[in-house]
Amino acid sequence: MIYFKNGEFLEEQQMNLSVNDRGYAFGDGVYEVIKVYDGVLYTAQEHLERLIESAEKIRMPLPYTIEQLTNIAQKLLTENQLSVGHIYLQVTRGVAPRAHQFPESDIPPVIIGYTVVNPRPVEHLKMGTAMKSVEDMRWLRCDIKSLNLLGNVLAKQEAIEHSCQEALFVRDGLVREGSASNVFGIKDGILHTHPANNFILNGITRRVVLQIAKDLAIPVVEKEFTLAEALAMDEFFFTSTNAEITPVITIDGKQIGEGVPGPLTRKLQSAFDGQIPMLVSAGNAKERESNGTAS
Ligand code: PDD
């Protein structure tokens, strides 16, 4: 596999990362995960804009333009012949002797990237999955895609230990987001989700879903709701780059709606699939097959 580090494409053994990297010592950096479908980057522009925004929010200048970052991502996926999976990009404040404050002299950030083979979670997308509520003990800048993920790590582990796929963060009695996803509820035909503020990461998939809802004339309310309100939703799902639109059929062991993925969730899923060229062509192939016209 080919990796990227500060302008070079390297083999793993050439990566040579420092123990004094501030990402390693402090989690002092930001990252992005960009989906690749059939060898094509998906919503890369939006992810890279967010990477630059996250870097600005932690006062770390990025010496790369969106165009350069796109070229890096593109070269990584081509070199590694990635078909379906994602590109991981990470930027840290650089290498300096360990001291909490920013290094005095200007040091270059360390940017690395690599590809991950990762098939679509088709079983979860079809059957739905379980969430476990967890107290949100993270900091107050969850809008930054920071490398500091300890709160997310502990929440996810707690969910897994309770046989749930994802954690549901609750802070001040209000449902915020998943450990690595955004959440949505549907009640009486209205789509509810948390507003994009400092308590959540404004997910790229979240934005795609909101655009789809607008296109389909599904009413949307971007306002906090409680855990009790979440449990009373007709449908529930979480979204992320890799999870896409994953239906949730139980929260804390309690059934949501009919306990199966609901009709509006299905509608949003199929509109989402309709935006991904690979899925559109696969769907067409299936249709041709069932019509007996497969070539
Ligand atoms: N996680 N909220 C949090 C806390 C996240 O970590 C993520 C993504 C999201 C969804 O964002 P998007 O739709 O842009 O993927 C929301 C990534 C995928 C990760 O950490 O692996």
Side-chain angles (χ1 to χ4, degrees):
M1 165 139 91
I2 296 297
Y3 291 74
F4 175 82
K5 186 188 166 203
N6 286 356
E8 290 182 291
F9 291 88
L10 305 165
E11 297 287 343
E12 186 171 3
Q13 61 273 21
Q14 299 173 297
M15 281 295 278
N16 200 14
L17 293 164
S18 169
V19 289
N20 279 322
D21 190 301
R22 291 180 61 91
Y24 188 55
F26 300 112
D28 187 1
V30 293
Y31 75 104
E32 274 299 330
V33 176
I34 309 174
K35 192 76 196 168
V36 173
Y37 290 109
D38 213 12
V40 179
L41 290 165
Y42 177 69
T43 56
Q45 173 84 14
E46 289 82 350
H47 282 279
L48 296 172
E49 276 170 10
R50 187 172 65 187
L51 183 69
I52 289 170
E53 278 164 27
S54 292
E56 278 168 3
K57 286 174 178 174
I58 66 162
R59 299 164 57 193
M60 183 176 73
L62 260 197
Y64 292 92
T65 62
I66 295 216
E67 202 187 351
Q68 286 169 321
L69 292 167
T70 309
N71 291 340
I72 293 165
Q74 186 59 52
K75 185 155 162 98
L76 274 175
L77 83 87
T78 313
E79 287 284 329
N80 293 322
Q81 298 178 355
L82 181 65
S83 174
V84 178
H86 65 256
I87 302 218
Y88 179 81
L89 288 177
Q90 169 179 306
V91 194
T92 71
R93 205 181 302 276
V95 177
R98 186 180 179 280
H100 288 65
Q101 70 275 23
F102 297 172
E104 261 177 41
S105 56
D106 280 349
I107 54 162
V110 174
I111 173 162
I112 61 106
Y114 57 84
T115 57
V116 177
V117 175
N118 197 356
R120 301 182 63 228
V122 278
E123 199 56 27
H124 285 148
L125 293 174
K126 197 166 134 203
M127 307 302 288
T129 177
M131 287 190 103
K132 167 157 198 326
S133 65
V134 173
E135 196 192 331
D136 191 351
M137 291 187 290
R138 299 173 300 163
W139 69 335
L140 296 171
R141 291 305 306 274
C142 301
D143 54 310
I144 300 173
K145 204 158 171 59
S146 145
L147 293 178
N148 276 282
L149 289 173
L150 201 44
N152 309 62
V153 166
L154 293 174
K156 180 78 160 192
Q157 183 61 21
E158 189 174 329
I160 300 283
E161 286 173 2
H162 286 80
S163 304
C164 293
Q165 196 210 336
E166 175 62 310
L168 180 61
F169 277 129
V170 179
R171 195 198 293 258
D172 301 330
L174 301 172
V175 164
R176 303 298 181 173
E177 62 178 338
S179 76
S181 59
N182 294 111
V183 295
F184 292 77
I186 297 166
K187 185 74 183 169
D188 300 327
I190 299 170
L191 186 63
H192 296 263
T193 198
H194 196 284
N197 59 21
N198 63 305
F199 291 108
I200 67 160
L201 182 77
N202 186 2
I204 305 303
T205 324
R206 174 187 183 276
R207 300 179 211 177
V208 171
V209 167
L210 291 177
Q211 183 58 48
I212 290 173
K214 203 171 160 201
D215 296 345
L216 296 176
I218 297 170
V220 174
V221 175
E222 285 182 72
K223 190 173 172 295
E224 297 87 344
F225 50 83
T226 64
L227 181 57
E229 285 168 322
L231 290 166
M233 294 282 180
D234 302 324
E235 302 178 38
F236 206 82
F237 60 86
F238 63 84
T239 64
S240 80
T241 296
N242 280 314
E244 300 182 2
I245 299 174
T246 295
V248 175
I249 53 177
T250 65
I251 300 174
D252 295 340
K254 297 180 188 98
Q255 181 179 308
I256 303 300
E258 303 291 313
V260 289
L264 264 180
T265 307
R266 287 286 185 236
K267 203 171 169 182
L268 291 167
Q269 282 182 317
S270 68
F272 184 88
D273 289 357
Q275 299 201 343
I276 300 167
M278 170 185 106
L279 302 180
V280 175
S281 49
N284 290 344
K286 234 188 228 166
E287 217 167 85
R288 278 200 306 277
E289 247 168 62
S290 61
N291 293 335
T293 54
S295 51

